[in-house]
Amino acid sequence: MHYLSTRGGMKPQPFSDILLEGLATDGGLAIPERIPVVDAETLASWRSLSYAELAARVLALFIDDIPRGDLDELVHAAYRPEVFGIDMVPLKPLDGGMSLLGLSQGPTLAFKDMAMQFLGQVFEYVLKRRGTSLNILGATSGDTGSAAEHALRGKRGIAVFMLSPHGRMSDFQRAQMYTLQDENIHNIAIKGVFDDCQDIVKALAGDLDFKSRYRIGAVNSINWARIAAQIVYYFWGWLRATSAPGQQVSFAVPSGNFGNILAGHFAREMGLPIRRLVLATNENNVLEEFFRTGIYRPRSAEQTRATSSPSMDISRASNFERFVFDLLGRDAARVSACWDTLSRTGQFDLSSLRDQFESRYGFVAGASSHGDRLETIRRIHRDCGVLIDPHTADGVKVAAAHVEDGVPMLVLETALPAKFGATIEEALGRSVPLPPELASLSALPQRVTVMEHDVDAVRAYIQQHVSSAA
Ligand SMILES: *Cc1c(COP(=O)(O)O)cnc(C)c1O
């Protein structure tokens, strides 16, 4: 299996090469040259597999430059009970034909652990095989940075430099990141806001000399290995929710960067019997608007609202281009034309294809508000005895409008409520105690370097602390 660019300007490359790159050299995103198909007989034979065994089967379809025995070891190291609990990715029934697919049992209590834990293993493996090292540079407002640090801590040949806005994360998020004592993890708190952190990362990643000399890499949401690892749990959810071949299920996905639901799109194209892919946004409804109108109109940072489902406060869905590539018949010239139009006019119009969104690709969409989230958290707690987080609540709210008789609706649980105590408190009118192992986090010593908003100071810090292990 080789990988192409959505813009058509990259020669086909094997998995291990695109793993370590960010954007393709032509500004597009890496995409598999063809979508592998899983027939009904193969699917049926996967029913008795453990999560790790299933992950090996699915990932092997996309990764053929890592020997199968090695890939097996990597997925078993990523998806083990010590990391995700004994009951991995459980299905938790709600009411009205809906269930939650429990993706947030990992170390940082959000679904990003599912892909990051695999990414940590496969990065270490590929770097070792090549005898080289990598320095991951990133900016985080909370979730992605902690998932990356927990996945990469203690890994040979990798150092992580994670910038976060000083004094602007929740106590819980700070504790999750800053209490890591591993030598290869560097938390840098910048006196500024998230955008300032992001600007520093962009400036350093744009310094090509610095970037190549210090082997700077990223683990952002466009990394193909993350998408591939996320495809696995759509298969897992289908296998758990059905008992007969060809039986359809629908998935509802709280969305921001379009990474999670893109994996669902791939699973569906691979032949998994998925009826609907229900895309849920919060008040930042760029994607909901696209699936309603066919017009893609990303917003500026100033027009992006800070909501109570903060991990979905995204103005530019960085993975969306991969879906548009399929929508446009895998025609890279047409994709490039769309993004040219976007950079000239701030939007592009695919409304002529609107009737295909649902009929051909199964996509429907809806948006949720702060009031909807509070109401949904309250109702699910009252009627089902289950506490859900605000992002998952957006999913449940939008999913409820699309449930069909006889088609199980699986809502992806993208985080656990313990992470978002203030909103839960607002919904229920009382505080929710943290689980004991999390409550004790706040008592542990923290390791963080506070710095001014100064690119040169951050550059100097990285130069002094880079990983040279090979
Ligand atoms: C990242 C995140 C999302 C959005 O997922 P995308 O892949 O960016 O669409 C939703 N909920 C939570 C809790 C997240 O951390």
Side-chain angles (χ1 to χ4, degrees), residues 137-139 163-164 188-207 210 216 451-459 462:
L137 173 63
L163 276 50
S164 52
I188 302 175
I190 298 292
K191 291 184 183 167
V193 296
F194 170 70
D195 285 332
D196 297 325
C197 300
Q198 188 74 14
D199 287 345
I200 295 175
V201 169
K202 279 191 190 142
L204 291 174
D207 177 346
F210 176 78
I216 301 294
M451 297 180 78
E452 298 295 330
H453 178 192
D454 176 355
V455 175
D456 291 329
V458 176
R459 186 199 320 261
I462 293 174

Side-chain angles (χ1 to χ4, degrees), residues 110-112 143 254-260 311-312 314 389 391 414-415:
F111 85 97
K112 293 192 172 73
D143 286 348
S255 292
N257 262 321
F258 205 79
N260 203 356
S311 302
M312 293 157 64
I314 299 201
D389 102 290
H391 307 79
T414 56

Side-chain angles (χ1 to χ4, degrees), residues 3-5 7-13 18 24-26 29-31:
Y3 289 82
L4 314 170
S5 163
R7 308 263 175 107
M10 179 178 88
K11 71 171 176 26
Q13 292 189 22
I18 60 147
T25 43
D26 62 353
L29 303 180
I31 199 95

Side-chain angles (χ1 to χ4, degrees), residues 25 42 57 146 200 212 228 250 278 368 403 467:
T25 43
T42 306
R57 301 293 196 290
S146 65
I200 295 175
S212 67
S250 291
V278 182
S368 164
V403 177
S467 168

Side-chain angles (χ1 to χ4, degrees), residues 104 109-112 143-144 221 226-227 230 233 253-262 279-280 287 309-314 317-319 389-392 412-416 419-420:
S104 302
L109 316 189
F111 85 97
K112 293 192 172 73
D143 286 348
T144 308
S221 63
R226 286 178 64 182
I227 307 296
Q230 289 169 183
Y233 51 69
V253 189
S255 292
N257 262 321
F258 205 79
N260 203 356
I261 202 164
L262 178 73
L279 181 144
L287 291 169
S309 45
S311 302
M312 293 157 64
D313 293 346
I314 299 201
S318 54
N319 271 294
D389 102 290
H391 307 79
T392 308
L412 305 200
E413 183 185 45
T414 56
L416 293 190
K419 274 193 113 156
F420 301 96

